[in-house]
């Protein structure tokens, strides 16, 4: 009974997490673009790269949470290998974005 409940509720939860990640990318991209435009108009140095990288890193966390939950629904080894590759790529992207954020933070201080 618990297995049936998990199989019924998990796809919805995964979809919600994926949508949250998409929403974070859209909002942080729009906010970074607005910040960039304000910097062009006011001729000030805005931290556009850091704000965008922070939003992308947050989005990747939501997307990775969804991928981890997908592992519960995996039935075959091929699916698990594809899912593992996706998780590995997203983790690598997250690491690279955090590295870039540290580089931006060090150059500004």
């Amino acid at each position: 009974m618990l297995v049936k409940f998990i199989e019924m509720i998990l796809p919805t939860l995964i979809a919600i997490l994926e949508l949250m990640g998409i929403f974070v990318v859209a909002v942080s991209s729009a906010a970074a673009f607005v910040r960039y435009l304000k910097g062009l108009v006011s001729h000030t140095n805005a931290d556009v790269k850091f704000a965008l990288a922070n939003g992308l890193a947050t989005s990747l966390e939501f997307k990775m949470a969804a991928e981890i939950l997908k592992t519960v629904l995996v039935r075959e080894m091929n699916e698990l290998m594809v899912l593992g590759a996706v998780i590995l790529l997203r983790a690598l992207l997250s690491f690279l974005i955090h590295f870039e954020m540290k580089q931006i933070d060090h150059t500004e201080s």
Side-chain angles (χ1 to χ4, degrees), residues 38-86:
K38 284 182 182 177
L40 283 178
V41 171
S42 65
H43 300 293
T44 59
N45 189 12
D47 58 344
V48 176
K49 285 177 72 175
F50 188 81
L52 184 57
N54 192 25
L56 292 176
T58 304
S59 171
L60 274 171
E61 297 298 328
F62 282 111
K63 303 287 255 168
M64 282 184 46
E67 295 298 331
I68 290 169
L69 288 178
K70 283 181 187 176
T71 61
V72 175
L73 301 176
V74 170
R75 300 274 184 226
E76 297 178 7
M77 191 59 152
N78 287 342
E79 292 177 32
L80 185 62
M81 288 174 26
V82 169
L83 200 55
V86 169

Side-chain angles (χ1 to χ4, degrees), residues 25 53 57-58 91 94:
V25 167
T58 304
S94 182

